[in-house]
């Protein structure tokens, strides 16, 4: 199925397959009443996007039951082929790591964004 822009609309399973191949994504959250975007390394596990952030960061402050958006994508250099997936969910802070990545600080915390709303598009030139 195509959207009004001629982009392929991806189903949830397709979105999750693509999301699992990406290692970097962007979290969109609110900081001081304004929109903010933070790139993060992440892992898809336990039906959630999981990533680490320092406890003193604005991203961690926004993750206490805040609704956030998460986006990951991949495009070829000529921008003829590519995809993007967006996740919306209520972020939760946890001390449990989804994966044993080295912490950037001794005070890192993990954030979980449950896969509440998942959507995606594919660009095929």
């Amino acid at each position: 199925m195509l959207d009004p822009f001629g982009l392929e609309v991806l189903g949830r399973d397709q979105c999750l397959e693509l999301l699992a191949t990406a290692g970097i994504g962007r979290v969109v959250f609110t900081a001081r009443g304004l929109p903010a975007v933070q790139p993060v390394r992440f892992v898809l596990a336990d039906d959630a996007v999981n990533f680490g952030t320092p406890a003193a960061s604005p991203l961690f402050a926004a993750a206490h039951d805040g609704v956030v958006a998460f986006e990951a994508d991949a495009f070829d250099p000529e921008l003829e082929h590519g995809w993007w997936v967006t996740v919306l969910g209520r972020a939760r802070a946890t001390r449990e790591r989804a994966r044993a990545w080295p912490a950037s600080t001794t005070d890192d915390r993990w954030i979980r964004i449950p896969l509440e709303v998942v959507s995606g598009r594919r660009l095929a030139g």
Side-chain angles (χ1 to χ4, degrees):
M1 181 169 82
L2 300 180
D3 72 6
F5 297 100
L7 301 169
E8 179 187 356
V9 177
L10 302 174
R12 183 182 176 93
D13 290 341
Q14 291 173 298
C15 288
L16 297 181
E17 285 178 25
L18 291 168
L19 197 56
T21 68
I24 300 276
R26 293 155 204 84
V27 181
V28 181
F29 61 101
T30 303
R32 296 182 169 174
L34 297 172
V37 179
Q38 177 69 50
V40 295
R41 289 180 12 183
F42 76 97
V43 62
L44 190 62
D46 302 322
D47 209 31
V49 170
N50 301 273
F51 58 91
T53 188
S57 70
L59 178 52
F60 182 74
H64 293 283
D65 206 33
V67 175
V68 300
F70 178 84
E71 187 273 347
D73 56 54
F75 292 92
D76 72 337
E78 290 79 32
L79 299 178
E80 294 178 1
H81 301 280
W83 59 267
W84 67 91
V85 171
T86 304
V87 172
L88 300 175
R90 192 167 295 277
R92 302 263 196 278
T94 178
R95 285 190 173 263
E96 292 182 36
R97 292 182 183 205
R99 183 167 144 179
W101 282 334
S104 59
T105 71
T106 57
D107 202 25
D108 268 8
R109 299 293 189 275
W110 284 87
I111 307 295
R112 274 179 49 77
I113 304 172
L115 303 174
E116 294 174 19
V117 178
V118 179
S119 63
R121 300 287 189 272
R122 186 184 332 255
L123 169 68

